[in-house]
Amino acid sequence: MSPTYDVIVIGLGGMGSAAAHHLSARGARVLGLEKFGPVHNRGSSHGGSRITRQSYFEDPAYVPLLLRAYELYDELERATGRRIAILSGGVMVGRPDSRTVSGSLRSARQWGLPHEVLDAREIRRRFPTLTPRDDEVALYERKAGLLRPENTVAAHLQLAGRQGAELHFDEPMTRWEPYRDGVRVHTAENTYTAGQLVICPGAWAPRLLTDVGVPFTIERQVMYWFEPKGGIGPFLPERHPIYIWEDTEGVQVYGFPAIDGPGLGAKVAFFRKGEVTTAETIDRTVYDHEVQAMADHMADRIPELPGTFLKAATCMYSNTPDEHFVIARHPAHPGSVTVACGFSGHGFKFVPVVGEILADLALTGTTGHPIGLFDPARLAAAPA
């Protein structure tokens, strides 16, 4: 006889681990199935750091979710003793009419978020590591900073296990199907049944969610670590902010303070400047010309940063055409299946609140959080 649960969660990365925690915290009998081991580096929830911020240039509609996410990250740290957030402050840099600056300012003003607008001279004075052009400005947000993705996933898994969730690693789902009033999930090891299914597929969305009606694309991204020329002292979190920096061509880079100590450098990356790939075929080799392009781009902006190249790592963005998320009941199975995917390179900061939303949807069919922007119906007619 198939083991039976209230909810089965597919994928235990950022979103899935949070869903398993929030579901089990409410007393649900939860099974989590993960293709790889716990806190793995094969998807999109690794790399040591992820930016968090509230003055959100993507859309002001995200801000209420961010405010809740900040509360939940505090709770997660207290419950597990793990260091999750480092609020170093952050600058969104570019020309005043750039999306990065103007969009951040729009959200900050609409929601009354504390912020400052700095001209180029003031940016240089406050943050000597940064050398903006005279026509560039920055929105400075004191509450911006970074999150530790591996610690976040580990913390959610820790709490889920403590609360009674059954977590199976290295056991990928092979298929699922409607079954009676719920679902039946197959793996190579067993068959399981549940009243509800939550699918958090990450970069495997194009294969696992073909019937959602969303043309997902998977993008290879590269993260780089450099040892600054003069050492990490000026790049410590109390001196150097996180940043997103947009040039006149609309190319964005993002980066972090040095958070891992001497010899481990500071991290920087291009934002959405990778080639289309798949989760199965991604090239995880990082080439010399890629490292050089990153170093050249940063040389005029943070001259001390591209001193010595230390290492690089790949990850994947799961993009929707409009770069907004998909969080909803499955359009073909609204009574028993919930999906969370298409986080388009800016989703990790929302992990705990997405877990809360998924628990709401799976257990009650609705949520009080504003998720209208994430309805897949908006993309059903979009071209592939």
Side-chain angles (χ1 to χ4, degrees):
M1 185 174 180
S2 301
T4 299
Y5 303 85
D6 295 321
V7 187
I8 297 174
V9 178
I10 303 299
L12 294 173
M15 306 306 174
S17 64
H21 158 51
H22 283 281
L23 285 161
S24 57
R26 300 184 195 185
R29 293 171 297 158
V30 176
L31 171 66
L33 296 173
E34 167 56 48
K35 181 180 182 70
F36 301 107
V39 198
H40 63 81
N41 65 355
R42 311 304 291 172
S44 304
S45 297
H46 62 282
S49 55
R50 290 289 185 275
I51 283 177
T52 188
R53 52 195 165 89
Q54 295 180 352
S55 301
Y56 217 59
F57 63 76
E58 287 84 351
D59 196 299
Y62 287 90
V63 174
L65 299 178
L66 287 163
L67 298 177
R68 178 57 178 157
Y70 270 59
E71 294 174 347
L72 291 170
Y73 275 119
D74 285 343
E75 293 179 11
L76 190 62
E77 287 188 327
R78 290 195 299 271
T80 64
R82 296 177 184 269
R83 185 74 183 275
I84 303 293
I86 301 173
L87 299 185
S88 60
V91 287
M92 308 299 116
V93 186
R95 287 184 171 179
D97 61 350
S98 66
R99 182 191 184 199
T100 301
V101 174
S102 64
S104 298
L105 189 58
R106 177 187 171 202
S107 283
R109 288 173 172 169
Q110 180 171 324
W111 290 99
L113 302 173
H115 68 283
E116 299 176 66
V117 178
L118 312 179
D119 63 18
R121 185 175 182 178
E122 184 64 8
I123 297 169
R124 297 186 201 108
R125 187 187 73 80
R126 290 204 198 180
F127 308 111
T129 51
L130 311 183
T131 58
R133 294 166 36 140
D134 289 342
D135 61 349
E136 291 181 317
V137 300
L139 180 142
Y140 171 70
E141 180 184 326
R142 183 179 60 81
K143 289 188 175 181
L146 63 96
L147 304 166
R148 292 290 209 170
E150 290 90 347
N151 282 1
T152 302
V153 175
H156 280 133
L157 294 176
Q158 175 185 338
L159 291 181
R162 183 190 301 172
Q163 292 151 182
E166 190 176 321
L167 307 176
H168 294 193
F169 297 98
D170 299 304
E171 186 176 349
M173 176 187 71
T174 56
R175 62 186 175 92
W176 68 271
E177 64 209 5
Y179 178 72
R180 296 180 179 172
D181 293 330
V183 296
R184 184 160 53 189
V185 173
H186 301 270
T187 74
E189 287 77 16
N190 212 331
T191 298
Y192 309 97
T193 60
Q196 294 289 322
L197 179 64
V198 174
I199 305 177
C200 301
W204 287 261
R207 183 168 62 82
L208 296 180
L209 294 174
T210 57
D211 53 352
V212 169
V214 176
F216 300 105
T217 57
I218 307 305
E219 188 176 349
R220 173 183 175 270
Q221 295 292 323
V222 182
M223 303 170 281
Y224 305 85
W225 285 259
F226 291 92
E227 182 73 12
K229 293 176 184 176
I232 65 170
F235 289 82
L236 295 175
E238 59 269 25
R239 301 178 184 176
H240 180 78
I242 64 94
Y243 54 91
I244 300 177
W245 202 319
E246 182 176 342
D247 69 12
T248 56
E249 305 300 318
V251 174
Q252 294 171 305
V253 293
Y254 65 95
F256 301 84
I259 56 174
D260 293 317
L264 296 176
K267 176 181 158 187
V268 65
F270 286 110
F271 188 46
R272 295 201 185 94
K273 196 182 177 184
E275 66 270 15
V276 173
T277 185
T278 72
E280 294 79 15
T281 63
I282 179 174
D283 184 354
R284 296 191 182 273
T285 300
V286 178
Y287 299 93
D288 290 345
H289 69 86
E290 295 179 298
V291 176
Q292 190 61 53
M294 185 81 261
D296 290 347
H297 191 89
M298 298 309 297
D300 293 334
R301 294 167 176 83
I302 308 180
E304 294 299 308
L305 176 60
T308 303
F309 170 67
L310 298 175
K311 65 176 182 177
T314 58
C315 69
M316 291 177 282
Y317 288 178
S318 305
N319 298 325
T320 65
D322 61 6
E323 298 173 1
H324 295 308
F325 309 157
V326 172
I327 307 173
R329 297 293 261 173
H330 194 301
H333 308 279
S336 57
V337 183
T338 303
V339 298
C341 51
F343 289 95
S344 300
H346 64 111
F348 195 88
K349 61 187 73 64
F350 297 89
V351 157
V353 70
V354 170
E356 190 170 63
I357 291 166
L358 294 175
D360 290 343
L361 294 176
L363 297 179
T364 72
T366 188
T367 181
H369 289 295
I371 62 169
L373 182 61
F374 311 137
D375 187 338
R378 76 187 191 277
L379 298 169

